[in-house]
Amino acid sequence: MKWYSTRDQKREHGQSLREAVMMGLAPDGGLFVPERIPQADLSEAERRADESYASLASYLAGLFFDGDLDPQEIARQLASLYDFPVPLRRVGDRRYTLELFHGPTCAFKDFGAGFMGRMTGLLDRGGERLVILTATSGDTGSAVAHGFYNVPGVDVVVLYPEGRISRLQECQMTALGGNIHPLRVNGSFDDCQRLVKELFADEAFRHRRRVTSANSINLLRWIPQAFYYFYGYFLWRRETGGDHPVIVVPSGNCGNLAAGMLARRMGLPVGGFVAASNLNDVVPEFLETGIYLPRPSVRTPASAMDVGAPSNFERMLWLCGGDPDALRAELTGYRCDNATIRRTIDTLYERSGYLSDPHSAVGYAASVAVGKPGFYLSTAHPAKFGEVIATVTGRRVPLPERLESLTSLPQHADPLEVDLGALEEFVARV
């Protein structure tokens, strides 16, 4: 399988899997996409899903990577990686949610970041040390840090906006030490993401230092997120007897949404997607008006979705053949203000005893508003946003043991201004 930039319309510059993964971002600034989208055998996929999530993921990963990675090694790695449950839960009034937060860092990013950590280790054995550079609005950084922690030959540099993520999210990045190097940036997530993109655009620097990205711009982060759409579909169909579900996706940088669209093109019979946003509603606005207008993000209780310039919009457009109207026809948009986020958290707890993190609450609110059969994605454990939930419900959310242990460890992060030169100097020293 060759990999091309979303901007390489004539397909003149195909890269191998290893080349594309190590570049992260294509040289022309585009995002890597496959030369073709393989088709899944739904009967085989369902049989594998009945065995385990890891078995399903191994089958679907093989459709993309069998020519580059040993299928038995993929299966072995994923059997130990995906050793946690992926349940479909009924919530409230006939709503269903696929809970994606039962992994090691209690967020859906564990699926992609863990996969990338394992597969990068297989692709890049030996040679000069590799720097994984990533920007995070909260959950990506902790998942990437965990996924690459103590991986031989790899250093991880994580940029996060100081004061704009939860305390627990920060602990998950700053308590590890070793090969994990957190940078608290005096700016927004968009500033962090822009710095990462600017560094990747600096060819002279990249000739001096091996560096790639673990954001969802990297294909090894993006593609495995398509796999849980298949798993959720089979669970939902078994539970309800329905077909062609509408799937609601809490959306920030839109890697998750782009992965769902990829799953649909692999043959998953989906009835549609809802791009559910907070006040950072660039995508819902585009779906309404046809005008895509990135802008600085604003702070909300659903902080991991505080993204004003979603990188994966380019992949979404590519999946629709570059046709904005086709993209608008495929998606429904929903925006959720801060008051509605808090009210939804409170209502779910009061009526159902269900604790929801702010991002998943956006998904539930969108599911109710759209009112079509299907399910929404729950993207983070409520304990990761305990401060928000406690102020709304008056109830302290118990921390899972794997999170509790982090809060008592020493924390360290280096400060960084929004300055490319300062970032490159730091990366060069790692």
Side-chain angles (χ1 to χ4, degrees), residues 344-376:
T344 302
I345 293 170
D346 187 46
T347 298
L348 282 173
Y349 180 62
E350 288 296 322
R351 294 183 181 176
S352 309
Y354 187 81
L355 287 170
S356 174
D357 90 282
H359 312 80
S360 306
V362 172
Y364 178 85
S367 180
V368 171
V370 172
K372 294 182 178 180
F375 57 92
Y376 69 96

Side-chain angles (χ1 to χ4, degrees), residues 17 43 49 93 190 192 197 207 227 254 256 269-270 277 313 353 408 422:
L17 176 63
S43 296
D93 183 19
D190 295 318
C192 298
K197 288 185 174 182
H207 280 303
F227 305 162
C254 291
N256 205 359
V270 174
S277 80
F313 185 83
S408 60

Side-chain angles (χ1 to χ4, degrees), residues 3 9 22 38 87 115 120 128 149 205 215 262 290 294 305 385:
W3 301 84
Q9 296 182 359
M22 296 308 155
F115 184 95
T120 300
E128 180 191 351
Y149 184 53
F205 180 82
N215 279 88
L262 177 65
M305 292 160 56
F385 298 88

Side-chain angles (χ1 to χ4, degrees), residues 40-367:
D41 180 328
L42 284 182
S43 296
E44 176 65 10
E46 186 168 19
R47 185 187 72 78
R48 300 290 288 266
D50 287 342
E51 292 179 359
S52 67
Y53 181 82
S55 179
L56 170 67
S58 297
Y59 164 65
L60 296 174
L63 300 179
F64 289 94
F65 306 125
D66 263 7
D68 298 282
L69 297 167
D70 180 0
Q72 292 185 335
E73 186 64 22
I74 292 175
R76 188 180 73 82
Q77 292 289 340
L78 297 192
S80 61
L81 174 63
Y82 296 134
D83 61 351
F84 49 86
V86 190
L88 184 78
R89 291 276 303 273
R90 182 169 176 169
V91 180
D93 183 19
R94 293 178 298 169
R95 299 291 148 197
Y96 291 89
T97 184
L98 186 66
E99 291 184 343
L100 301 174
F101 54 71
H102 295 282
T105 72
C106 298
F108 83 98
K109 303 292 178 73
D110 287 323
F111 289 88
F115 184 95
M116 183 181 174
R118 299 297 182 96
M119 298 306 113
T120 300
L122 298 178
L123 284 169
D124 193 48
R125 288 173 168 162
E128 180 191 351
R129 287 187 72 83
L130 175 68
V131 176
I132 303 290
L133 180 65
T134 193
T136 184
S137 56
D139 286 332
T140 290
S142 55
V144 168
H146 186 277
F148 285 90
Y149 184 53
N150 284 339
V151 170
V154 174
D155 284 290
V156 178
V157 177
V158 184
L159 287 71
Y160 68 92
E162 185 173 10
R164 299 194 185 198
I165 65 174
S166 76
R167 173 177 171 271
L168 195 54
Q169 287 175 319
E170 189 168 21
C171 285
Q172 288 183 294
M173 293 180 282
T174 59
L176 293 176
N179 66 328
I180 309 302
H181 311 279
L183 291 174
R184 45 187 173 85
V185 177
N186 183 22
S188 67
F189 167 73
D190 295 318
D191 293 322
C192 298
Q193 183 165 254
R194 187 174 64 255
L195 282 175
V196 169
K197 288 185 174 182
E198 288 176 354
L199 185 144
F200 281 114
D202 187 342
E203 293 187 19
F205 180 82
R206 295 186 67 187
H207 280 303
R208 299 195 303 271
R209 193 73 170 93
R210 289 185 72 221
V211 59
T212 189
S213 174
N215 279 88
S216 54
I217 60 176
N218 195 299
L219 69 94
L220 283 185
R221 266 284 315 282
W222 171 51
I223 285 178
Q225 293 181 144
F227 305 162
Y228 49 68
Y229 285 88
F230 284 85
Y231 196 71
Y233 167 78
F234 294 129
L235 292 177
W236 181 82
R237 193 177 65 175
R238 185 182 307 146
E239 177 73 19
T240 68
D243 206 354
H244 290 82
V246 171
I247 305 176
V248 177
V249 186
S251 301
N253 213 23
C254 291
N256 205 359
L257 184 56
M261 294 174 62
L262 177 65
R264 189 180 202 179
R265 284 152 179 80
M266 293 171 67
L268 188 67
V270 174
F273 296 98
V274 179
S277 80
N278 56 21
L279 290 175
N280 297 281
D281 60 348
V282 172
V283 171
E285 180 183 78
F286 161 77
L287 297 174
E288 290 176 5
T289 67
I291 300 172
Y292 178 63
L293 189 63
R295 53 184 172 270
S297 60
V298 297
R299 298 177 69 172
T300 77
S303 56
M305 292 160 56
D306 292 350
V307 180
S311 290
N312 282 282
F313 185 83
E314 189 163 331
R315 271 198 182 111
M316 291 158 59
L317 198 58
W318 176 84
L319 287 164
C320 291
D323 183 353
D325 290 335
L327 179 56
R328 294 174 68 200
E330 180 166 356
L331 304 177
T332 300
Y334 175 83
R335 65 173 56 80
C336 192
D337 61 30
N338 294 346
T340 302
I341 292 174
R342 294 188 173 94
R343 185 168 59 250
T344 302
I345 293 170
D346 187 46
T347 298
L348 282 173
Y349 180 62
E350 288 296 322
R351 294 183 181 176
S352 309
Y354 187 81
L355 287 170
S356 174
D357 90 282
H359 312 80
S360 306
V362 172
Y364 178 85
S367 180

